[in-house]
Amino acid sequence: MQPISFARSFLSKGLSKSVGKASVASAVLQPAILIGVLGCAISVNAQAAVGASTNNDNPTNGLQLISLNADEIADENDADNLSNIADMLDVADEPDDSIDSVPDESALTDDADDIDTEIPAEVAQVSLNAISPETLKTFVAVVDLVRRQYVDAVNDEELFSNAMSGMLTKLDSHAEFLDAEAYENLRAFTEGDVGDIGIKVNYQPEAGYWVVTEVIDDSPADKKGIAVGDYLHQVDEFKLDEGRQVNDVEQILTGIAGTQVDIITSKAGRRKHTTTLQRNNSHPQIVETKLVDGIAIVKLPAFQNNSREKLLEGLINLNAPISGILLDMRDNPGGVLTSAVSVASLFMDDTDVVQVQARQNKSRVLSTQGDAILKPLPLVVLQNRYSASAAEVLASSLQAQKRATIIGEVSYGKGSVQSVIPLNDEQAVKLTVANYMTAAGKQIDEIGVEPDVTLSGSENTWEQKALELVKARALDSGIRFVRKNATKE
């Protein structure tokens, strides 16, 4: 049986151009081999990603900054140069540090100049034309054994789905096979969704365990048989004991909609077992903005396509002069990488933000674009141990340029890039394809971002401490956001 091969974009075609200072090397396409197993040919079709909104739909086309004492309005083209950040990467589908993007039809070309045909040394001895007959024989034998001997009747489709999931999750905790619901949630995340598995838990001292107190009907947990009263022992690598806080457990269970999490549970007095769940109980995230003594406090819960626009809209709606900004990225799990770059571009100009390092050892550097319209405002960033991925990219770049003071605790330390590769309309594979580092080349993965000012104790007091730090550096005369059409009335 002949294999079905196709080429896919390495980080999406979005990393295929160099524009200005944002030197992004040509995307490297790698062949992927899919082989028909047990007589079933696998059909592979790339699906075009949901495109980014055009500039005509950009809600910030009509925004600009003016000084309270300004007599004239700046040139109308100055304020929104950043809306073309996606053009920097030439994307129809946004790269994403947790989902990256879906390659479009151009990723299926067989141009020899675009395809990396070098076989890694560690697999060079394996023929690309066939899987080892012994491996296939063993696989078929295991499937047959499960069909005949397992205590419950099993569905073949579920068996093969589990086999694919197991293959991917053994690679690393971020690689996974996506069913229709998870795939749709990952695509929806770029527009604003974070998800959980649909349970509530509390620590019960009399039992000595964390206990499930609520299961949402038809949630991922409910579908997998998790019930009220079950003990929750571990979430991914995090073991749960009396030292954890409710907020800790909630944040561990929560993440980007469509991603998966492993939980270890048990019925009281029974054997523990592991269940893999996808965070398909999704809910939109809101960029919250408030004004306290002239300081704008912006709560940025995740990085979606519209994060920059939502941040600016929040500042406009304050309808007051702003003398400093407190950017709260606590519990931010990351998201769309270019969104973090576009937010960084509000505060810094002509600055490298992040390095993306692929297996080919060719580093790609993403840089800020356009005018840094928030550059005059002093900035403090608040983070905690659940601030991850794109949130760490933004914090590390602001810290390296001494553009902001980072306050809180060491961040999570998630520094890998995943790409979502569609198999058909309803299924996809999420695969780790690169690592990213700070613009200076420092590793983030499993290290995190060290704060400039460390905070401990109850997080309820952290906002006030960060606010005091911004106030000490606040401008004497604030800056106000207005809409362009409002200045002409």
Side-chain angles (χ1 to χ4, degrees):
M1 181 176 294
Q2 293 298 315
I4 301 171
S5 63
F6 66 98
R8 66 174 175 82
S9 62
F10 187 73
L11 291 178
S12 87
K13 69 170 186 152
L15 296 184
S16 61
K17 273 194 173 185
S18 298
V19 180
K21 194 172 184 295
S23 300
V24 182
S26 296
V28 179
L29 302 179
Q30 299 189 63
I33 306 300
L34 294 180
I35 299 177
V37 178
L38 301 180
C40 275
I42 303 174
S43 175
V44 181
N45 296 294
Q47 304 298 315
V50 179
S53 59
T54 64
N55 289 345
N56 292 332
D57 298 328
N58 190 337
T60 56
N61 278 337
L63 309 185
Q64 75 176 59
L65 270 176
I66 61 171
S67 168
L68 287 178
N69 300 321
D71 295 322
E72 297 182 355
I73 305 302
D75 185 87
E76 65 179 7
N77 295 320
D78 289 345
D80 200 49
N81 291 334
L82 298 183
S83 61
N84 292 322
I85 188 72
D87 292 341
M88 175 187 76
L89 299 176
D90 192 27
V91 289
D93 38 68
E94 289 72 20
D96 181 354
D97 56 359
S98 41
I99 71 168
D100 210 337
S101 62
V102 182
D104 69 0
E105 297 293 341
S106 65
L108 300 180
T109 63
D110 288 328
D111 190 337
D113 293 334
D114 292 332
I115 299 176
D116 177 14
T117 58
E118 182 179 353
I119 306 302
E122 61 269 23
V123 296
Q125 73 275 16
V126 178
S127 170
L128 291 181
N129 294 322
I131 296 175
S132 162
E134 288 301 317
T135 300
L136 274 178
K137 180 179 178 181
T138 302
F139 181 79
V140 172
V142 171
V143 171
D144 185 58
L145 181 64
V146 172
R147 281 171 169 171
R148 291 185 292 108
Q149 300 292 334
Y150 187 64
V151 64
D152 297 319
V154 292
N155 179 281
D156 285 351
E157 292 292 333
E158 185 176 356
L159 270 182
F160 277 83
S161 178
N162 290 342
M164 289 182 286
S165 293
M167 174 182 67
L168 292 164
T169 55
K170 283 293 185 181
L171 295 175
D172 64 47
S173 61
H174 306 297
E176 57 188 290
F177 176 74
L178 304 173
D179 61 17
E181 187 176 9
Y183 185 22
E184 180 57 34
N185 275 322
L186 272 177
R187 286 186 287 193
F189 167 74
T190 63
E191 302 304 328
D193 290 347
V194 167
D196 57 47
I197 61 173
I199 64 172
K200 298 289 185 182
V201 295
N202 277 300
Y203 184 75
Q204 296 187 357
E206 63 276 11
Y209 292 104
W210 284 86
V211 178
V212 177
T213 57
E214 180 183 347
V215 179
I216 297 175
D217 289 342
D218 206 34
S219 66
D222 185 37
K223 292 176 181 178
K224 286 293 184 76
I226 305 300
V228 171
D230 287 357
Y231 293 169
L232 179 62
H233 303 278
Q234 186 169 328
V235 180
D236 282 336
E237 71 271 26
F238 299 100
K239 294 183 179 180
L240 306 185
D241 55 29
E242 69 276 7
R244 297 276 182 184
Q245 301 296 316
V246 172
N247 182 62
D248 289 334
V249 181
E250 287 180 354
Q251 291 307 319
I252 295 170
L253 290 170
T254 301
I256 292 170
T259 58
Q260 70 183 24
V261 61
D262 291 332
I263 63 172
I264 296 178
T265 59
S266 70
K267 307 296 181 183
R270 297 185 181 182
R271 187 176 60 180
K272 297 177 183 178
H273 65 278
T274 301
T275 306
T276 298
L277 298 167
Q278 288 169 325
R279 296 179 175 102
N280 290 340
N281 185 49
S282 59
H283 37 88
Q285 296 296 288
I286 300 172
V287 177
E288 299 176 356
T289 307
K290 62 182 179 180
L291 192 68
V292 178
D293 297 333
I295 306 299
I297 301 176
V298 181
K299 173 66 176 176
L300 191 60
F303 287 93
Q304 282 88 30
N305 293 339
N306 59 4
S307 292
R308 170 184 176 270
E309 286 71 28
K310 291 297 184 183
L311 191 158
L312 292 177
E313 284 284 355
L315 296 180
I316 291 172
N317 292 336
L318 292 176
N319 194 29
I322 300 166
S323 55
I325 295 179
L326 169 56
L327 185 61
D328 188 347
M329 293 198 296
R330 287 178 293 178
D331 305 327
N332 184 318
V336 182
L337 185 58
T338 46
S339 175
V341 175
S342 67
V343 172
S345 299
L346 291 172
F347 298 98
M348 303 181 293
D349 52 23
D350 196 28
T351 302
D352 292 341
V353 176
V354 62
Q355 293 186 30
V356 180
Q357 187 75 43
R359 191 174 70 191
Q360 286 76 15
N361 296 320
K362 294 179 181 178
S363 179
R364 289 133 172 107
V365 179
L366 306 185
S367 304
T368 59
Q369 292 284 295
D371 293 334
I373 56 180
L374 299 181
K375 188 175 181 179
L377 294 170
L379 174 66
V380 168
V381 173
L382 185 56
Q383 67 176 30
N384 65 4
R385 57 191 176 279
Y386 303 117
S387 305
S389 200
E392 294 173 293
V393 167
L394 179 58
S396 66
S397 62
L398 292 169
Q399 184 182 56
Q401 297 299 318
K402 301 187 184 305
R403 176 61 186 89
T405 298
I406 313 300
I407 183 171
E409 58 190 355
V410 179
S411 60
Y412 185 86
K414 193 272 187 183
S416 60
V417 180
Q418 281 70 46
S419 184
V420 172
I421 306 156
L423 301 177
N424 50 50
D425 288 337
E426 295 186 343
Q427 295 172 318
V429 168
K430 181 158 72 75
L431 196 66
T432 301
V433 295
N435 292 316
Y436 58 77
M437 296 168 288
T438 68
K442 294 182 179 179
Q443 186 173 336
I444 293 175
D445 203 44
E446 299 185 357
I447 294 176
V449 178
E450 289 274 354
D452 299 305
V453 179
T454 301
L455 298 178
S456 59
S458 173
E459 287 195 31
N460 294 332
T461 65
W462 290 14
E463 181 182 290
Q464 184 58 39
K465 292 177 180 178
L467 188 60
E468 291 170 0
L469 189 58
V470 187
K471 287 181 180 179
R473 305 171 183 180
L475 299 179
D476 294 332
S477 177
I479 297 175
R480 182 193 298 264
F481 270 112
V482 297
R483 298 183 185 279
K484 289 181 181 178
N485 55 9
T487 65
K488 297 176 182 178
E489 295 177 354

